[in-house]
């Protein structure tokens, strides 16, 4: 077994002409796709993997420098595609991994038929003219919580702050999965997530993008989906599902799975 | 250098033969381990005489299995690491199996994790002469060609001496059993013990299946099976099947038939009147016939989940037809004790009983309870569940009547017997009781104007019939004086005042209560409730309490954030000898990651429940995390891992769920921790592929790290 394969718990399932690659968001692991997978394996070759830092990977492999920006994760994705000789794939990414896919497609557009972005956002913090969903105070509270947990953990005490302690409901929901990571990795991922600003890079994307999200996801306002649609360099289409929450593939699979399948199977029509 | 003391003879001077017998007689594992550390001779003797062992190695290390345990007759392989992985996934399974057989030549009894048919084949082929087998599987039953194939493999390989088979933890279908038994008559006619009491069955065995199983195994002495008693299903177990059991297997000494719904141990509703909509297809005449056919019966359990009405006469017959009966458990049997005046009837006539459990008896009143107390005068274990009409009075009278023998009591789901009431009722045996279950339902204290000062009898209560004839029952309820109603005066702790509990309460002082001999306590509590009221409810001092089991049940999705920060485990510091705990949040349901906005997820609840656990000096802990049913996940959260890591004296920790590797690594901070395992022993155990389970590499890394440390004792 190759190093990349073992480190990322990569699995290749099903068979078909086209390859579909599934990337999960932070704080979860590949099991977040368990409802979708059975519907894909009959028609597609599916490559599924765990991001570094996920609970199911060896925490020693988490390189804090590499993963300080999303490019580190993008390089991982490209390494996996190379290891398994994937020459062109449909990439389905959730949350952070959707942005990872975007970056990877800028580096190597030749490797991607199209990207399916679930609950994607190029920047979470609000600015004067951009609504990302989170205010600085909310993020500061979360930052404090992450640091408290980190300090407890380092000193041998129990890290006791959980997402539910945050005041903002948006932060609660978004950070739920963040609080299931090891405290030092969680702190690092937190900083990565709330520091990145990919708005500048959206114009360089050439690959078609299908933007899918819940109508009520506190972490990703619907306005963000529209912003992506307007600013992505290539073709894009938006679908807002009648679901709630940041993990619709787990919390409402009966709505989400058919939508995803449709986007995987059909391409964007030229205008 | 000091000269060795020239003492007299020591234990070591005994001849080896005698010493070996002495060491062989030591059963407790820690005792044996200590003996083995004395000197090399004792080590050799201990190893050579050990009779039962559970292997806890990692599959990849199994080739190092030690050869010194030549006398081991019972071997448990079901807990190898990674838990639930089949033996066939080891790198060289045939070699491993062979080495195991060589290491344990005297094996007669074997328990192993039968994950799939090839594992069964591998293990069974090594031990042809085994007499007792227990198969364990919590993972889903794999696809097999025909029903019963796996058991047929088993019987063909090691059926020769097999006389006892336990499938109570083996995930299979009811269809698998009868064909296998019928196809191997030489094996089935040899069986004396058969345990088919398996909660994984979606429906229990039907009437025909019970008939064919018992027909195939006429020599059964112990038969336990999960049945389909519900009359709405075709072919459900009723009169015919029951009679066939007694006709086919007359040698039965233990008979245990339970409806599958009873096995899942779900709590009923205390408001329910105890009568189900449909009656079972079992009538009294049948019961009499069955009891007549089983004269050797010692233990009987009929966990029927539909009404069996007016069962009193059948139970009266039970006493005469089954004179050896010591243990009885009945669910949904009505009319078990309906005394008229002071004449005993029903169960109360079974005076040989030592253990009695009655559940959901709709017409049981205090009178009935008292009759039981009078009639079953040897009772040492008593359980009552789901009886709406009994109160403190009846329970307390029962306790006083059985004062000489009663040491194990369980009261659950009885509307009038919450925590405080149950404890009041058990005051007469406060100094004798060793094992107790109560529901932590906290009432506000004011109950009926029933005054505890009023003693039923000063001195011994005799079971003499004449004595009772002359007094009416009303004398028991002489609630004349109500001077000091339920207001408690909390006096400062004074050993002398509270020790005067050998008789009943005299005087008006509610001092702290001491439960001198209580060793084991079991509690049920609804999700969201606090544990704090426990000590004030009556359990102030339990100086010898060693083990506690707490089951927390309910749906926290419907609840707001808990108002208090902690559930109250720290209150248990009051019990100085507490060292073992089972904390079962497995029936607490909530959201893991998928909580809708504004709702609390399970990490918050786990924190609520576990805060304070580090203050107790626990040495052994079994923990069931709460579950998210929608995604079949029972997983440790961050605060839970952190709080568990605070149990500094912990030596053994078993988590009945899954956990990330980095959370398990927190546990390495506990210095003396030596035995940890994730055991997904619930149906169905999550398959490796699609769940947040510890992968086998993660498991091995964790265990390697755990085992690398120095153990101080």
């Amino acid at each position: 077994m190759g190093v990349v394969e073992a480190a990322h718990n990569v699995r290749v399932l099903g068979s078909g002409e086209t390859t579909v690659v599934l990337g999960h968001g932070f704080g979860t692991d590949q099991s977040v796709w368990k409802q979708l997978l059975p519907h894909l394996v009959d028609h597609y070759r599916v490559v599924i993997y765990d991001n570094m830092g996920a609970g199911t990977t060896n925490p020693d492999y988490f390189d804090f420098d590499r993963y300080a920006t999303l490019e580190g994760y993008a390089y991982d994705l490209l390494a996996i595609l190379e290891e398994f000789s994937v020459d062109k794939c449909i990439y389905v990414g959730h949350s952070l991994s959707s942005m990872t896919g975007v970056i990877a497609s800028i580096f190597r557009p030749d490797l991607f038929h199209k990207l399916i972005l679930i609950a994607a956002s190029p920047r979470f913090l609000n600015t004067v003219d951009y609504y990302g969903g989170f205010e600085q105070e909310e993020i500061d509270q979360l930052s404090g919580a992450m640091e408290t947990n980190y300090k407890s953990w380092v000193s041998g005490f129990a890290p006791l702050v959980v997402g539910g302690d945050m005041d903002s409901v948006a932060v609660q929901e978004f950070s739920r999965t963040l609080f299931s990571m090891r405290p030092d990795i969680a702190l690092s991922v937190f900083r990565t997530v709330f520091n990145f600003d990919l708005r500048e890079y959206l114009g360089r994307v050439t690959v078609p993008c299908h933007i899918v999200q819940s109508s009520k996801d506190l972490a990703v306002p619907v306005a963000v989906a529209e912003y992506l649609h307007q600013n992505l360099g290539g073709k894009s289409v938006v679908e807002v599902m009648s679901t709630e929450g940041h993990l619709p593939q787990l919390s409402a699979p009966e709505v989400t799975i058919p939508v995803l399948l449709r986007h995987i199977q059909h391409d964007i029509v030229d205008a | 250098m000091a000269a060795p003391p020239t003492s007299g003879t020591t234990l070591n001077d005994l001849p080896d033969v005698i010493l070996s017998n002495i060491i062989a007689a030591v059963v407790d594992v820690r005792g044996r381990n200590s003996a083995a550390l004395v000197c090399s001779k004792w080590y050799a003797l201990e190893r050579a005489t050990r009779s039962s062992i559970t292997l806890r190695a990692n599959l990849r290390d199994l080739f190092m299995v030690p050869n010194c345990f030549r006398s081991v007759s019972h071997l448990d392989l079901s807990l190898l690491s990674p838990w639930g992985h089949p033996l066939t996934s080891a790198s060289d399974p045939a070699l491993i199996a062979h080495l195991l057989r060589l290491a344990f030549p005297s094996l007669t009894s074997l328990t192993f994790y039968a994950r799939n048919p090839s594992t069964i084949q591998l293990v069974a082929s090594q031990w042809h002469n085994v007499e007792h087998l227990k198969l364990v599987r919590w993972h889903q039953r794999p696809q097999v060609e025909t029903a019963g194939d796996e058991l047929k493999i088993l019987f063909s390989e090691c059926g020769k001496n097999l006389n006892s088979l336990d499938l109570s933890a083996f995930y299979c279908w009811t269809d698998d059993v009868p064909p296998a038994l019928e196809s191997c008559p030489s094996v089935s006619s040899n069986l004396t013990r058969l345990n088919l009491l398996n909660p994984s069955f979606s429906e229990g065995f039907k009437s025909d299946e019970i008939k064919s199983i018992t027909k195939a195994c006429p020599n059964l002495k112990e038969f336990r099976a999960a049945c389909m008693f519900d009359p709405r299903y075709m072919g459900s177990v009723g009169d015919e099947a029951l009679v066939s059991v007694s006709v086919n297997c007359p040698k039965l000494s233990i008979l245990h038939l339970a409806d599958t719904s009873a096995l899942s141990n779900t709590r009923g509703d205390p408001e329910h009147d105890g009568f189900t909509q449909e009656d079972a297809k079992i009538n009294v005449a049948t019961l009499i016939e069955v009891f007549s056919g089983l004269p050797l019966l010692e233990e009987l359990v009929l966990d029927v989940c539909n009404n069996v009405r007016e069962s009193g006469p059948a139970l009266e017959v039970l006493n005469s037809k089954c004179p050896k009966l010591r243990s009885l458990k009945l669910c949904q049997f009505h009319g078990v004790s309906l005394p008229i005046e002071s004449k005993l009837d029903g169960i109360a006539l079974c005076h040989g009983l030592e253990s009695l459990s009655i559940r959901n008896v709709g017409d049981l009143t205090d009178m009935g309870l008292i009759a039981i107390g009078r009639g079953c005068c040897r009772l040492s274990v008593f359980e009552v569940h789901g009886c709406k009409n009994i109160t403190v009075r009846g329970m307390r009278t029962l306790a006083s009547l059985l004062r000489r023998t009663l040491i194990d009591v369980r009261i659950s789901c009885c509307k009038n017997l919450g925590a405080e009431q149950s404890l009041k009722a058990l005051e007469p045996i406060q100094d004798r009781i060793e094992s107790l279950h109560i529901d932590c339902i906290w009432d506000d204290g004011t109950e009926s104007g029933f005054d505890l000062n009023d003693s039923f009898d000063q001195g011994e209560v005799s079971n003499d019939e004449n004595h009772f004839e002359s007094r009416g029952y009303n004398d028991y309820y002489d609630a004349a004086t109500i001077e000091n109603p339920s207001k408690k005066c909390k006096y400062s702790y004074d050993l002398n005042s509270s020790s005067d509990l050998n008789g009943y309460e005299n005087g008006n002082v509610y001092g702290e209560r001491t439960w001198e001999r209580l060793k084991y306590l079991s509690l049920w509590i609804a999700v969201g409730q606090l544990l704090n009221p426990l000590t004030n409810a009556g359990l102030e001092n339990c100086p010898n309490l060693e083990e506690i089991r707490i089951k927390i049940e309910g749906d926290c999705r419907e609840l707001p954030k808990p108002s208090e920060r902690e559930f109250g485990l720290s209150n248990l510091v009051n019990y100085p000898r507490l060292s073992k705990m089972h904390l079962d949040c497995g029936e607490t349901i909530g959201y893991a990651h998928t909580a809708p906005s504004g709702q609390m997820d399970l990490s918050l609840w786990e924190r609520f429940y576990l805060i304070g656990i580090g203050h107790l000096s626990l040495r052994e802990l079994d923990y069931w995390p709460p579950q998210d049913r929608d995604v079949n996940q029972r997983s440790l959260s961050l605060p839970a891992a952190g709080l568990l890591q605070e149990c500094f004296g912990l030596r053994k920790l078993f988590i009945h769920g899954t956990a990330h590797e980095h959370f398990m690594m927190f546990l390495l901070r506990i210095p003396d921790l030596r035995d940890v395992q994730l055991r997904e022993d619930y149906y169905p155990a999550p398959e490796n592929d699609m769940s947040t389970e510890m992968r086998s590499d993660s498991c091995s890394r964790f265990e390697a790290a755990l085992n690398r440390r120095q153990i101080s004792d």
Side-chain angles (χ1 to χ4, degrees), chain B residues 544-558:
Chain B
N544 289 308
L545 186 65
E546 288 173 3
E547 192 177 335
I548 190 168
R549 183 188 183 107
I550 305 178
K551 179 166 176 170
I552 303 160
E553 192 173 335
D555 193 337
C556 52
R557 295 175 299 190
E558 296 160 8

Side-chain angles (χ1 to χ4, degrees), chain B residues 537-696:
Chain B
L539 275 175
E540 285 91 356
N541 299 312
C542 302
N544 289 308
L545 186 65
E546 288 173 3
E547 192 177 335
I548 190 168
R549 183 188 183 107
I550 305 178
K551 179 166 176 170
I552 303 160
E553 192 173 335
D555 193 337
C556 52
R557 295 175 299 190
E558 296 160 8
L559 297 177
K561 202 163 158 178
S563 52
E564 297 285 325
R565 195 166 175 258
E566 42 181 294
F567 167 61
L569 278 181
S570 343
N571 284 286
L572 300 176
V573 170
N574 284 329
Y575 310 131
R577 290 187 79 170
L578 191 64
S579 64
K580 281 169 78 163
M581 176 182 285
H582 280 235
L583 185 57
D584 185 353
C585 303
E587 295 300 320
T588 301
I589 302 168
Y591 293 112
H593 290 319
T594 54
S597 35
Q599 287 246 21
M600 294 304 119
D601 62 59
L602 288 173
S603 59
L604 200 112
W605 286 98
E606 272 199 292
R607 182 181 68 185
F608 167 72
Y609 279 112
L610 287 173
I611 288 188
I613 198 171
H615 297 154
L616 313 172
S617 38
L618 292 177
R619 307 187 94 183
E620 286 181 43
L621 175 62
D622 273 83
Y623 175 61
W624 283 256
Q627 60 164 314
D628 184 336
R629 233 171 226 174
D630 295 336
V631 290
N632 191 23
Q633 185 174 328
R634 300 171 189 237
S635 188
L636 214 60
S637 63
L638 175 70
L643 291 166
L644 287 178
Q645 153 216 290
E646 288 186 345
C647 298
F648 252 49
L650 213 54
R651 298 158 70 95
K652 292 183 187 233
L653 172 62
F654 302 111
I655 298 170
H656 300 263
T658 58
H660 291 308
E661 178 182 345
H662 53 263
F663 289 160
M664 296 302 283
M665 289 305 189
F666 279 42
L667 301 171
L668 294 177
R669 297 210 180 128
I670 302 175
D672 283 334
L673 191 63
R674 72 213 45 205
D675 195 358
V676 184
Q677 203 171 35
L678 293 179
R679 296 176 180 165
E680 294 107 39
D681 44 10
Y682 41 89
Y683 291 112
E687 297 290 327
N688 293 340
D689 302 343
M690 285 317 273
S691 76
T692 2
E693 176 178 294
M694 274 238 291
R695 309 285 158 98
S696 66

Side-chain angles (χ1 to χ4, degrees), chain B residues 247-271:
Chain B
V247 164
N248 292 337
C249 303
K251 299 186 197 166
L252 280 177
S253 66
I254 297 183
L255 176 61
H256 187 148
L257 299 175
D259 193 279
T260 20
S261 55
L263 288 179
S264 59
N265 218 12
T266 37
R267 189 180 157 75
D269 173 13
E271 294 290 337

